Coordinates of all heavy atoms in Angstrom, one line a residue:
M1 N 1.2 -17.3 25.4 CA 0.6 -16.4 24.5 C -0.8 -16.8 24.2 O -1.1 -18.1 24.0 CB 1.4 -16.4 23.2 CG 0.9 -15.5 22.1 SD 1.7 -15.6 20.5 CE 3.3 -15.3 20.9
N2 N -1.8 -16.0 24.3 CA -3.2 -16.5 24.2 C -3.6 -16.6 22.7 O -2.8 -16.0 21.9 CB -4.2 -15.6 25.0 CG -4.3 -14.2 24.3 OD1 -4.4 -14.1 23.1 ND2 -4.5 -13.2 25.1
P3 N -4.5 -17.3 22.4 CA -4.9 -17.6 21.0 C -5.1 -16.3 20.1 O -4.7 -16.3 19.0 CB -6.2 -18.4 21.1 CG -6.3 -18.9 22.4 CD -5.5 -18.0 23.2
L4 N -5.7 -15.3 20.7 CA -5.9 -14.1 20.0 C -4.5 -13.4 19.6 O -4.4 -13.0 18.4 CB -6.7 -13.0 20.8 CG -7.2 -11.7 20.1 CD1 -7.9 -12.1 18.8 CD2 -7.8 -10.9 21.1
Q5 N -3.6 -13.4 20.5 CA -2.3 -12.9 20.2 C -1.6 -13.7 19.2 O -1.0 -13.1 18.3 CB -1.4 -13.0 21.5 CG -1.8 -11.8 22.4 CD -1.0 -12.0 23.8 OE1 -0.8 -13.1 24.3 NE2 -0.5 -10.8 24.3
K6 N -1.8 -15.0 19.2 CA -1.2 -16.0 18.2 C -1.8 -15.5 16.7 O -1.0 -15.6 15.8 CB -1.5 -17.3 18.4 CG -0.4 -18.2 18.6 CD -0.8 -19.7 18.9 CE 0.5 -20.4 19.1 NZ 0.1 -21.8 19.5
I7 N -3.1 -15.3 16.7 CA -3.6 -14.9 15.4 C -3.2 -13.5 14.9 O -2.9 -13.3 13.8 CB -5.2 -15.0 15.5 CG1 -5.6 -16.4 15.8 CG2 -5.8 -14.3 14.2 CD1 -7.1 -16.5 16.1
A8 N -3.1 -12.7 15.8 CA -2.7 -11.2 15.6 C -1.3 -11.0 15.2 O -0.9 -10.0 14.5 CB -3.1 -10.4 16.7
I9 N -0.3 -11.9 15.6 CA 1.1 -11.7 15.3 C 1.3 -12.1 14.0 O 1.1 -13.3 13.5 CB 1.9 -12.5 16.4 CG1 1.7 -11.7 17.7 CG2 3.4 -12.4 16.0 CD1 2.5 -12.5 18.7
I10 N 2.0 -11.2 13.2 CA 2.2 -11.5 11.7 C 3.9 -11.0 11.6 O 4.3 -10.4 12.3 CB 1.5 -10.6 10.9 CG1 1.6 -9.2 11.0 CG2 0.1 -11.2 10.8 CD1 0.8 -8.3 9.9
S11 N 4.4 -11.6 10.5 CA 5.9 -11.3 10.2 C 5.9 -10.0 9.5 O 4.9 -9.4 9.1 CB 6.4 -12.3 9.2 OG 5.8 -12.3 8.0
C12 N 7.1 -9.5 9.4 CA 7.3 -8.2 8.7 C 7.0 -8.3 7.3 O 6.5 -7.4 6.7 CB 8.7 -7.7 8.8 SG 9.3 -7.4 10.6
R13 N 7.3 -9.6 6.6 CA 6.9 -9.8 5.2 C 5.4 -9.7 5.2 O 4.9 -9.1 4.2 CB 7.4 -11.1 4.9 CG 7.1 -11.4 3.3 CD 7.7 -12.8 3.0 NE 9.1 -12.8 3.0 CZ 10.0 -12.6 2.0 NH1 9.5 -12.2 1.0 NH2 11.1 -12.7 2.2
Q14 N 4.7 -10.3 6.0 CA 3.2 -10.3 6.0 C 2.7 -8.8 6.1 O 1.7 -8.4 5.5 CB 2.5 -11.1 7.0 CG 2.7 -12.6 6.8 CD 2.3 -13.5 8.0 OE1 2.7 -13.3 9.0 NE2 1.5 -14.5 7.7
A15 N 3.3 -8.1 7.0 CA 3.0 -6.7 7.3 C 3.2 -5.8 6.0 O 2.4 -4.9 5.7 CB 3.8 -6.0 8.4
A16 N 4.3 -6.1 5.4 CA 4.6 -5.3 4.1 C 3.5 -5.7 3.0 O 3.0 -4.8 2.4 CB 5.9 -5.8 3.5
V17 N 3.0 -6.9 2.9 CA 1.9 -7.2 2.0 C 0.7 -6.5 2.5 O -0.1 -5.9 1.5 CB 1.7 -8.8 2.0 CG1 0.4 -9.2 1.1 CG2 3.0 -9.5 1.3
L18 N 0.4 -6.5 3.7 CA -0.8 -5.9 4.2 C -0.7 -4.4 4.0 O -1.7 -3.7 3.6 CB -1.2 -6.2 5.6 CG -1.6 -7.7 5.9 CD1 -1.9 -7.9 7.4 CD2 -2.8 -8.1 5.2
G19 N 0.5 -3.8 4.2 CA 0.7 -2.4 3.9 C 0.5 -1.9 2.4 O -0.2 -0.9 2.2
A20 N 0.9 -2.8 1.5 CA 0.6 -2.6 0.2 C -0.9 -2.6 -0.1 O -1.4 -1.8 -0.9 CB 1.4 -3.6 -0.7
K21 N -1.6 -3.7 0.4 CA -2.9 -3.8 0.2 C -3.7 -2.6 0.8 O -4.7 -2.2 0.3 CB -3.4 -5.1 0.9 CG -4.7 -5.7 0.4 CD -4.8 -7.1 1.1 CE -6.4 -7.5 0.8 NZ -6.8 -8.7 1.5
A22 N -3.2 -2.2 2.0 CA -3.9 -0.9 2.5 C -4.0 0.3 1.7 O -4.8 1.1 1.8 CB -3.2 -0.7 3.9
S23 N -2.8 0.4 0.9 CA -2.8 1.6 0.1 C -3.9 1.6 -1.0 O -4.3 2.6 -1.6 CB -1.4 1.7 -0.5 OG -1.2 0.6 -1.5
F24 N -4.6 0.5 -1.2 CA -5.7 0.3 -2.1 C -7.0 0.3 -1.4 O -8.0 0.0 -2.0 CB -5.6 -0.8 -3.0 CG -4.4 -0.8 -4.0 CD1 -3.1 -1.5 -3.7 CD2 -4.5 0.0 -5.1 CE1 -2.1 -1.5 -4.5 CE2 -3.4 0.1 -5.9 CZ -2.1 -0.6 -5.7
N25 N -6.9 0.6 -0.1 CA -8.1 0.5 0.8 C -8.9 -0.9 0.7 O -10.0 -0.9 0.7 CB -9.1 1.6 0.5 CG -8.6 2.9 0.9 OD1 -7.8 3.1 2.0 ND2 -8.8 3.9 0.0
A26 N -8.0 -1.9 0.7 CA -8.5 -3.3 0.5 C -8.3 -4.2 1.7 O -8.3 -5.4 1.6 CB -7.9 -3.9 -0.8
L27 N -8.1 -3.6 2.9 CA -8.0 -4.5 4.1 C -9.2 -4.8 4.7 O -10.0 -3.9 4.9 CB -7.1 -3.7 5.1 CG -5.6 -3.6 4.7 CD1 -4.8 -3.0 5.8 CD2 -4.9 -4.9 4.3
S28 N -9.4 -6.1 5.2 CA -10.5 -6.4 6.0 C -10.2 -5.9 7.5 O -9.2 -5.4 7.8 CB -10.7 -7.9 6.1 OG -9.6 -8.5 6.9
L29 N -11.3 -5.9 8.3 CA -11.1 -5.3 9.7 C -10.1 -6.2 10.4 O -9.2 -5.6 11.2 CB -12.4 -5.5 10.4 CG -12.5 -4.9 11.8 CD1 -12.2 -3.5 11.9 CD2 -13.8 -5.1 12.5
V30 N -10.0 -7.5 10.2 CA -9.0 -8.2 10.9 C -7.5 -7.9 10.4 O -6.5 -7.8 11.2 CB -9.2 -9.8 10.8 CG1 -8.1 -10.7 11.2 CG2 -10.6 -10.2 11.4
E31 N -7.5 -7.8 9.1 CA -6.2 -7.4 8.5 C -5.7 -6.0 9.1 O -4.5 -5.8 9.3 CB -6.3 -7.4 7.0 CG -6.5 -8.7 6.4 CD -6.7 -8.7 5.0 OE1 -7.3 -7.7 4.4 OE2 -6.2 -9.7 4.2
K32 N -6.6 -5.1 9.2 CA -6.3 -3.7 9.7 C -5.7 -3.8 11.2 O -4.7 -3.3 11.5 CB -7.5 -2.8 9.8 CG -7.9 -2.3 8.4 CD -9.0 -1.3 8.5 CE -9.6 -1.0 7.1 NZ -10.9 -0.3 7.1
M33 N -6.4 -4.7 12.0 CA -6.1 -4.9 13.2 C -4.6 -5.6 13.3 O -3.7 -5.1 14.1 CB -7.0 -5.8 14.0 CG -6.7 -6.1 15.4 SD -7.8 -7.3 16.1 CE -7.0 -8.8 15.4
K34 N -4.3 -6.5 12.5 CA -3.0 -7.2 12.5 C -2.0 -6.3 12.1 O -0.9 -6.2 12.7 CB -3.0 -8.4 11.5 CG -3.8 -9.6 11.9 CD -3.8 -10.7 10.9 CE -4.5 -11.9 11.4 NZ -4.4 -12.9 10.3
L35 N -2.2 -5.4 11.1 CA -1.2 -4.5 10.6 C -0.9 -3.4 11.8 O 0.2 -3.0 11.9 CB -1.7 -3.8 9.4 CG -0.7 -2.9 8.7 CD1 0.6 -3.5 8.4 CD2 -1.3 -2.3 7.4
R36 N -2.0 -2.9 12.4 CA -1.8 -1.9 13.4 C -1.0 -2.5 14.6 O -0.1 -1.9 15.1 CB -3.1 -1.4 14.0 CG -3.7 -0.5 12.9 CD -4.9 0.3 13.6 NE -5.7 1.1 12.6 CZ -6.9 1.2 12.5 NH1 -7.8 0.6 13.3 NH2 -7.5 1.9 11.5
M37 N -1.4 -3.7 15.0 CA -0.7 -4.3 16.1 C 0.8 -4.5 15.8 O 1.7 -4.3 16.6 CB -1.4 -5.7 16.5 CG -2.6 -5.5 17.2 SD -3.4 -7.1 17.7 CE -2.3 -7.6 19.0
H38 N 1.0 -5.0 14.6 CA 2.5 -5.2 14.2 C 3.2 -3.9 14.1 O 4.4 -3.8 14.7 CB 2.6 -5.9 12.8 CG 3.9 -6.2 12.4 ND1 4.6 -7.4 12.8 CD2 4.9 -5.5 11.6 CE1 5.8 -7.4 12.3 NE2 6.0 -6.2 11.6
A39 N 2.6 -2.8 13.7 CA 3.2 -1.5 13.5 C 3.5 -0.9 15.0 O 4.5 -0.2 15.1 CB 2.3 -0.5 12.7
K40 N 2.7 -1.2 15.9 CA 3.0 -0.8 17.3 C 4.1 -1.5 17.8 O 4.9 -0.9 18.6 CB 1.8 -1.1 18.1 CG 0.5 -0.2 17.9 CD -0.5 -0.4 19.0 CE -1.7 0.4 18.7 NZ -1.7 1.8 19.2
M41 N 4.5 -2.7 17.4 CA 5.5 -3.5 18.0 C 6.8 -3.4 17.1 O 8.0 -3.6 17.6 CB 5.2 -4.9 18.1 CG 4.1 -5.3 19.0 SD 3.7 -7.0 19.2 CE 3.1 -7.3 17.6
C42 N 6.8 -2.9 15.8 CA 7.9 -3.0 15.0 C 8.1 -1.6 14.3 O 7.5 -1.1 13.5 CB 7.7 -4.0 13.9 SG 9.0 -4.1 12.8
T43 N 9.3 -1.0 14.8 CA 9.6 0.2 14.4 C 10.0 0.3 12.8 O 9.6 1.2 12.1 CB 11.0 0.7 15.2 OG1 10.7 0.6 16.5 CG2 11.3 2.2 14.8
T44 N 10.7 -0.7 12.4 CA 11.0 -0.8 11.0 C 9.9 -0.8 10.1 O 9.8 0.0 9.2 CB 11.8 -2.1 10.7 OG1 12.9 -2.1 11.6 CG2 12.3 -2.1 9.3
C45 N 8.8 -1.6 10.4 CA 7.6 -1.6 9.6 C 6.8 -0.3 9.8 O 6.3 0.2 8.7 CB 6.7 -2.9 9.9 SG 7.3 -4.3 9.3
R46 N 6.8 0.3 10.9 CA 6.1 1.5 11.1 C 6.8 2.7 10.2 O 6.1 3.4 9.5 CB 6.2 2.0 12.6 CG 5.3 3.1 13.0 CD 5.1 3.2 14.5 NE 6.4 3.3 15.2 CZ 6.8 2.4 16.1 NH1 5.9 1.4 16.5 NH2 7.9 2.4 16.9
D47 N 8.0 2.7 10.2 CA 8.8 3.6 9.4 C 8.5 3.4 7.9 O 8.4 4.3 7.1 CB 10.3 3.6 9.6 CG 10.7 4.1 11.0 OD1 9.7 4.9 11.6 OD2 11.7 3.9 11.4
Y48 N 8.5 2.1 7.6 CA 8.3 1.7 6.1 C 6.8 2.1 5.7 O 6.7 2.7 4.6 CB 8.4 0.1 6.0 CG 8.1 -0.4 4.6 CD1 8.9 -0.2 3.6 CD2 6.8 -0.9 4.4 CE1 8.6 -0.7 2.3 CE2 6.5 -1.5 3.2 CZ 7.3 -1.4 2.1 OH 6.9 -1.7 0.9
Q49 N 5.9 2.0 6.5 CA 4.5 2.3 6.2 C 4.5 3.9 6.0 O 3.8 4.3 5.1 CB 3.5 1.9 7.3 CG 3.3 0.5 7.4 CD 2.3 0.0 8.4 OE1 1.7 0.9 9.1 NE2 2.3 -1.2 8.8
K50 N 5.1 4.6 6.9 CA 5.2 6.1 6.7 C 5.8 6.5 5.4 O 5.3 7.4 4.7 CB 5.9 6.8 7.9 CG 5.1 6.8 9.2 CD 6.0 7.4 10.3 CE 5.3 7.2 11.6 NZ 6.1 7.7 12.8
D51 N 6.9 5.9 5.1 CA 7.7 6.2 3.8 C 6.9 5.8 2.6 O 6.7 6.5 1.7 CB 9.1 5.5 3.8 CG 10.0 6.0 4.9 OD1 9.8 7.0 5.4 OD2 11.0 5.4 5.1
S52 N 6.2 4.7 2.7 CA 5.3 4.2 1.7 C 4.2 5.2 1.3 O 3.8 5.5 0.2 CB 4.8 2.8 1.9 OG 5.7 1.9 1.8
A53 N 3.6 5.6 2.4 CA 2.4 6.6 2.3 C 2.9 8.0 1.8 O 2.3 8.6 0.8 CB 1.8 7.0 3.7
L54 N 4.2 8.4 2.0 CA 4.7 9.6 1.5 C 4.9 9.4 0.0 O 4.7 10.3 -0.8 CB 6.0 10.0 2.2 CG 5.9 10.7 3.5 CD1 7.2 10.8 4.2 CD2 5.2 12.0 3.4
I55 N 5.5 8.2 -0.3 CA 5.8 8.0 -1.8 C 4.4 8.0 -2.5 O 4.3 8.5 -3.7 CB 6.5 6.7 -1.9 CG1 7.9 6.9 -1.4 CG2 6.6 6.2 -3.4 CD1 8.7 5.6 -1.2
D56 N 3.4 7.3 -2.0 CA 2.1 7.2 -2.6 C 1.6 8.6 -2.8 O 0.9 8.9 -3.9 CB 1.1 6.4 -1.8 CG 1.4 4.8 -1.9 OD1 2.2 4.5 -2.8 OD2 0.8 4.1 -1.1
Q57 N 1.6 9.5 -1.8 CA 1.1 10.7 -2.0 C 1.8 11.6 -3.0 O 1.3 12.3 -3.8 CB 1.3 11.6 -0.6 CG 0.3 11.0 0.4 CD 0.6 11.6 1.8 OE1 1.5 12.5 2.0 NE2 -0.1 11.2 2.9
A58 N 3.1 11.4 -3.1 CA 4.0 12.2 -4.1 C 3.6 11.6 -5.5 O 3.5 12.5 -6.3 CB 5.5 11.9 -3.8
I59 N 3.4 10.4 -5.6 CA 2.9 9.9 -7.0 C 1.5 10.4 -7.3 O 1.3 10.8 -8.5 CB 3.1 8.2 -7.0 CG1 4.4 7.9 -6.8 CG2 2.4 7.7 -8.3 CD1 4.7 6.3 -6.7
D60 N 0.6 10.4 -6.4 CA -0.7 10.9 -6.6 C -0.6 12.3 -7.1 O -1.4 12.7 -8.0 CB -1.6 10.7 -5.5 CG -2.0 9.3 -5.2 OD1 -1.9 8.4 -6.2 OD2 -2.5 9.0 -4.1
K61 N 0.2 13.1 -6.5 CA 0.4 14.5 -6.6 C 0.8 14.7 -8.1 O 0.3 15.5 -8.8 CB 1.3 15.1 -5.7 CG 1.4 16.6 -5.9 CD 2.2 17.3 -4.8 CE 2.5 18.7 -4.9 NZ 3.4 19.4 -3.9
I62 N 1.9 14.0 -8.5 CA 2.5 14.1 -9.9 C 1.4 13.7 -10.9 O 1.3 14.4 -11.9 CB 3.8 13.2 -10.0 CG1 4.8 13.8 -9.1 CG2 4.0 13.1 -11.4 CD1 6.0 12.9 -9.1
I63 N 0.6 12.7 -10.7 CA -0.4 12.2 -11.6 C -1.4 13.3 -11.8 O -1.8 13.6 -12.9 CB -1.1 10.9 -11.2 CG1 0.0 9.8 -11.3 CG2 -2.3 10.6 -11.9 CD1 -0.4 8.4 -10.7
R64 N -1.9 13.8 -10.7 CA -2.9 15.0 -10.7 C -2.4 16.1 -11.5 O -3.1 16.8 -12.4 CB -3.4 15.4 -9.3 CG -4.4 14.4 -8.6 CD -5.0 15.1 -7.5 NE -4.0 15.6 -6.4 CZ -3.5 14.9 -5.5 NH1 -3.9 13.6 -5.4 NH2 -2.7 15.3 -4.7
Q65 N -1.0 16.5 -11.2 CA -0.5 17.6 -12.0 C -0.4 17.4 -13.5 O -0.7 18.2 -14.3 CB 0.9 17.9 -11.5 CG 1.0 18.6 -10.1 CD 2.4 18.6 -9.6 OE1 3.3 18.0 -10.1 NE2 2.4 19.5 -8.5
K66 N 0.0 16.1 -13.8 CA 0.0 15.7 -15.2 C -1.3 15.7 -15.9 O -1.4 16.2 -17.1 CB 0.7 14.3 -15.4 CG 2.2 14.3 -15.0 CD 3.1 15.1 -15.9 CE 4.5 15.1 -15.5 NZ 5.4 16.0 -16.3
E67 N -2.3 15.2 -15.3 CA -3.7 15.3 -15.8 C -4.2 16.7 -16.0 O -4.8 17.0 -17.0 CB -4.6 14.6 -14.9 CG -4.5 13.0 -15.0 CD -5.2 12.2 -13.8 OE1 -5.7 12.9 -13.0 OE2 -5.3 11.0 -14.0
Q68 N -3.8 17.6 -15.0 CA -4.2 19.0 -15.1 C -3.6 19.7 -16.3 O -4.1 20.7 -16.9 CB -4.0 19.8 -13.9 CG -4.9 19.4 -12.8 CD -4.6 20.1 -11.4 OE1 -3.5 20.7 -11.3 NE2 -5.5 19.9 -10.4
Q69 N -2.4 19.2 -16.6 CA -1.6 19.8 -17.7 C -2.1 19.2 -19.1 O -1.5 19.5 -20.2 CB -0.2 19.5 -17.5 CG 0.4 20.3 -16.3 CD 1.8 19.9 -15.9 OE1 2.4 18.9 -16.5 NE2 2.4 20.6 -15.0
G70 N -3.0 18.3 -19.0 CA -3.5 17.6 -20.2 C -2.6 16.5 -20.7 O -2.9 15.9 -21.8
H71 N -1.8 16.0 -19.8 CA -0.9 14.7 -20.1 C -1.7 13.6 -19.8 O -1.9 13.2 -18.5 CB 0.4 14.8 -19.3 CG 1.3 15.9 -19.7 ND1 2.1 15.8 -20.8 CD2 1.5 17.1 -19.1 CE1 2.8 17.0 -20.9 NE2 2.3 17.8 -19.8
T72 N -2.2 12.8 -20.7 CA -2.8 11.6 -20.5 C -2.2 10.5 -21.5 O -1.7 10.9 -22.4 CB -4.4 11.7 -20.7 OG1 -4.6 12.1 -22.0 CG2 -5.0 12.6 -19.7
L73 N -2.6 9.2 -21.0 CA -2.0 8.2 -22.0 C -3.0 8.0 -23.0 O -4.2 8.0 -22.9 CB -2.0 7.0 -21.1 CG -0.8 6.9 -20.0 CD1 -1.0 5.5 -19.2 CD2 0.5 7.0 -20.6
S74 N -2.5 7.6 -24.2 CA -3.4 7.2 -25.3 C -3.8 5.8 -25.0 O -3.2 5.1 -24.2 CB -2.6 7.3 -26.6 OG -1.6 6.2 -26.6
P75 N -4.9 5.4 -25.7 CA -5.4 4.0 -25.5 C -4.3 3.0 -25.9 O -4.2 2.0 -25.1 CB -6.6 3.9 -26.5 CG -7.1 5.4 -26.6 CD -5.9 6.2 -26.5
T76 N -3.5 3.4 -26.8 CA -2.4 2.3 -27.1 C -1.4 2.3 -26.0 O -1.0 1.2 -25.6 CB -1.7 2.7 -28.4 OG1 -2.7 2.9 -29.5 CG2 -0.7 1.8 -28.8
Q77 N -1.0 3.3 -25.4 CA -0.1 3.4 -24.3 C -0.7 2.6 -23.2 O 0.0 1.9 -22.5 CB 0.3 4.9 -23.9 CG 1.1 5.5 -24.9 CD 1.2 7.0 -24.6 OE1 0.2 7.7 -24.3 NE2 2.4 7.5 -24.7
R78 N -2.0 2.8 -22.8 CA -2.6 2.1 -21.7 C -2.6 0.5 -22.0 O -2.4 -0.2 -21.0 CB -4.1 2.6 -21.6 CG -4.2 3.9 -21.0 CD -5.7 4.4 -21.0 NE -5.8 5.8 -20.8 CZ -6.2 6.2 -19.6 NH1 -6.4 5.7 -18.6 NH2 -6.2 7.7 -19.4
D79 N -2.9 0.2 -23.2 CA -2.9 -1.2 -23.5 C -1.6 -1.8 -23.3 O -1.5 -3.0 -22.8 CB -3.4 -1.5 -24.9 CG -4.8 -1.2 -25.0 OD1 -5.6 -1.1 -24.0 OD2 -5.4 -1.0 -26.2
K80 N -0.6 -1.1 -23.7 CA 0.8 -1.6 -23.6 C 1.3 -1.7 -22.2 O 1.8 -2.9 -21.8 CB 1.9 -0.6 -24.3 CG 1.9 -0.8 -25.7 CD 3.0 0.1 -26.3 CE 3.0 -0.1 -27.8 NZ 4.1 0.9 -28.4
I81 N 0.8 -0.9 -21.3 CA 1.2 -1.0 -19.8 C 0.4 -2.2 -19.3 O 1.0 -2.9 -18.4 CB 0.7 0.3 -19.1 CG1 1.8 1.5 -19.6 CG2 0.8 0.0 -17.7 CD1 1.4 2.8 -19.0
L82 N -1.0 -2.3 -19.6 CA -1.6 -3.3 -19.1 C -1.1 -4.8 -19.5 O -1.1 -5.7 -18.7 CB -3.2 -3.2 -19.5 CG -4.0 -2.1 -18.8 CD1 -5.4 -2.0 -19.4 CD2 -4.1 -2.4 -17.3
E83 N -0.7 -4.9 -20.8 CA -0.1 -6.0 -21.2 C 1.1 -6.4 -20.4 O 1.4 -7.5 -20.2 CB 0.1 -5.9 -22.8 CG 0.6 -7.2 -23.4 CD -0.4 -8.3 -23.4 OE1 -1.7 -7.9 -23.4 OE2 -0.1 -9.4 -23.2
A84 N 2.0 -5.3 -20.2 CA 3.2 -5.7 -19.4 C 2.9 -6.1 -18.1 O 3.8 -6.7 -17.5 CB 4.1 -4.4 -19.5
L85 N 1.8 -5.6 -17.5 CA 1.6 -6.1 -16.1 C 1.0 -7.5 -16.0 O 0.9 -8.0 -14.9 CB 0.4 -5.1 -15.5 CG 1.1 -3.6 -15.3 CD1 0.1 -2.6 -14.8 CD2 2.2 -3.7 -14.2
R86 N 0.5 -8.1 -17.1 CA -0.1 -9.4 -17.0 C 1.0 -10.5 -16.9 O 2.0 -10.3 -17.0 CB -1.0 -9.6 -18.3 CG -2.2 -8.8 -18.3 CD -3.1 -9.1 -19.5 NE -4.2 -8.2 -19.4 CZ -4.7 -7.6 -20.5 NH1 -4.3 -8.0 -21.7 NH2 -5.7 -6.7 -20.4
Ligands
ZN1 ZN1 7.9 -5.5 11.1

């Protein structure tokens, strides 16, 4: 295995982390390359990425629909959620 291949090969766990990071458009060029190479070799992670993208799209759609219906969080509700995430 050449050094480039060694650097590019990542575990499924690392691919899952990069996949989550990708949903926030926060991947570097090298991370994108590692994730793409892994997905080409690993059917499980490729399927996981597709399913995650579908779930993200569904959540985004629901959020847009709720916002259009005037459903928004109050500042107190937002603060409670932010506090729970810390
Ligand atoms: Zn994998």
Side-chain angles (χ1 to χ4, degrees):
M1 181 182 310
N2 71 40
L4 183 60
Q5 286 174 317
K6 231 178 191 177
I7 292 169
I9 292 177
I10 58 175
S11 68
C12 292
R13 182 180 296 268
Q14 290 169 313
V17 170
L18 291 181
K21 197 174 168 185
S23 67
F24 295 102
N25 295 321
L27 290 184
S28 70
L29 185 60
V30 172
E31 290 172 327
K32 284 180 189 175
M33 183 189 76
K34 287 180 177 183
L35 185 57
R36 282 190 191 145
M37 287 182 69
H38 184 85
K40 283 187 187 276
M41 297 182 291
C42 180
T43 309
T44 304
C45 285
R46 193 169 47 243
D47 290 346
Y48 174 77
Q49 287 177 17
K50 286 179 188 171
D51 291 347
S52 290
L54 285 175
I55 291 169
D56 287 346
Q57 289 172 2
I59 291 171
D60 286 344
K61 184 177 177 182
I62 291 169
I63 289 171
R64 280 195 304 278
Q65 288 173 344
K66 293 292 180 187
E67 287 174 346
Q68 287 173 353
Q69 294 169 354
H71 295 278
T72 58
L73 295 174
S74 70
T76 304
Q77 290 170 316
R78 288 175 195 256
D79 289 344
K80 282 184 179 178
I81 291 171
L82 288 174
E83 187 63 36
L85 292 173
R86 290 184 185 143

